[in-house]
Amino acid sequence: MTVDGRPAPDAGLRRVVRANVLTVAFEVLVPMALFYGLRAAGVSQWWALMAGVLVAAPYVVWTVVRNRRIDLVALVTLSVLVLSVVLGLLSDDPRTLAIREGWTAALGGLFGLWMLVTVVVGRPAQLTLGRTIAEIKRGAEGAAAWAARWDTDARFRRGLRIDTAAWGAVLLANAVVHVVLVHTLPIDLIALVTTVVWFAALAGLIAWHVWYLRKEGLEA
């Protein structure tokens, strides 16, 4: 807290990071741990996969109730959960139920494709996303000052285009790899391998992103 009682500039950012960590824990790590725990206990692939779906549902519903709105992340997650339940009811084939992994990746790929389009059409996606982060960290005035650099700083424009292109390319490539893995791996390996591949790609991308923003002076 600041002296006058207002939150420190990075307090909002810490809340966002904390919320994302909880989302990953309850929507990715807990279902995966439950799946492999149940498989080790001799539970069938279908029921182990369905248990992972059902255990994630209460957290998603809780976030919607808490925020009193359905944001983009919650909408995507709810659509994946609904798809999983519908597929589970229509078929007892575990691989059909595992298709939800490919659906999630496909949505990420579409987002990556959109980012690539914004590099050449209009303003890059990272300008919009960066302004949101800047507002959390610096407030409305600080965010406006950061975004105003787009109109006067050629290096700023070039840097945001390169950063946006990198994010878009990685997200799109990950979607392609993810869908291929879902349809070719043994079912018991899908959750582990796709999660490891995604987090490895994301960690590398974030490390490069942080380094590049500092190198080019683009921090929001």
Side-chain angles (χ1 to χ4, degrees), residues 9-200:
D10 61 342
L13 184 60
R14 286 199 298 269
R15 286 195 298 271
V16 171
V17 171
R18 190 161 52 246
N20 286 332
V21 169
L22 288 174
T23 297
V24 170
F26 283 99
E27 296 180 17
V28 179
L29 300 182
V30 171
M32 184 172 66
L34 181 62
F35 172 79
Y36 286 111
L38 291 175
R39 289 294 291 144
V43 176
S44 70
Q45 291 174 332
W46 191 94
W47 279 111
L49 286 167
M50 182 58 76
V53 174
L54 297 178
V55 77
Y59 175 76
V60 177
V61 173
W62 176 74
T63 59
V64 171
V65 173
R66 181 193 61 186
N67 298 328
R68 297 182 180 179
R69 64 185 176 86
I70 301 179
D71 57 22
L72 179 60
V73 174
L75 182 62
V76 170
T77 304
L78 285 172
S79 70
V80 172
L81 292 176
V82 171
L83 177 66
S84 300
V85 172
V86 171
L87 290 174
L89 294 175
L90 293 177
S91 173
D92 58 0
D93 180 3
R95 189 168 295 278
T96 301
L97 189 56
I99 288 176
R100 76 182 192 279
E101 301 287 346
W103 169 246
T104 305
L107 292 176
L110 289 176
F111 186 72
L113 181 60
W114 168 74
M115 294 185 81
L116 291 174
V117 170
T118 67
V119 173
V120 294
V121 178
R123 297 185 174 189
Q126 289 292 35
L127 180 64
T128 301
L129 299 175
R131 179 163 185 162
T132 300
I133 294 174
E135 187 163 350
I136 293 172
K137 294 171 63 177
R138 307 181 183 184
E141 291 185 2
W146 179 83
R149 294 174 60 189
W150 176 264
D151 298 320
T152 59
D153 190 339
R155 183 180 178 183
F156 183 79
R157 293 193 294 270
R158 174 178 172 274
L160 285 186
R161 286 194 175 102
I162 291 175
D163 188 53
T164 302
W167 276 90
V170 171
L171 288 175
L172 186 58
N174 177 74
V176 174
V177 171
H178 200 118
V179 171
V180 170
L181 291 176
V182 166
H183 288 84
T184 57
L185 286 173
I187 293 172
D188 283 342
L189 291 179
I190 290 176
L192 178 62
V193 174
T194 55
T195 299
V196 169
V197 169
W198 165 237
F199 279 118

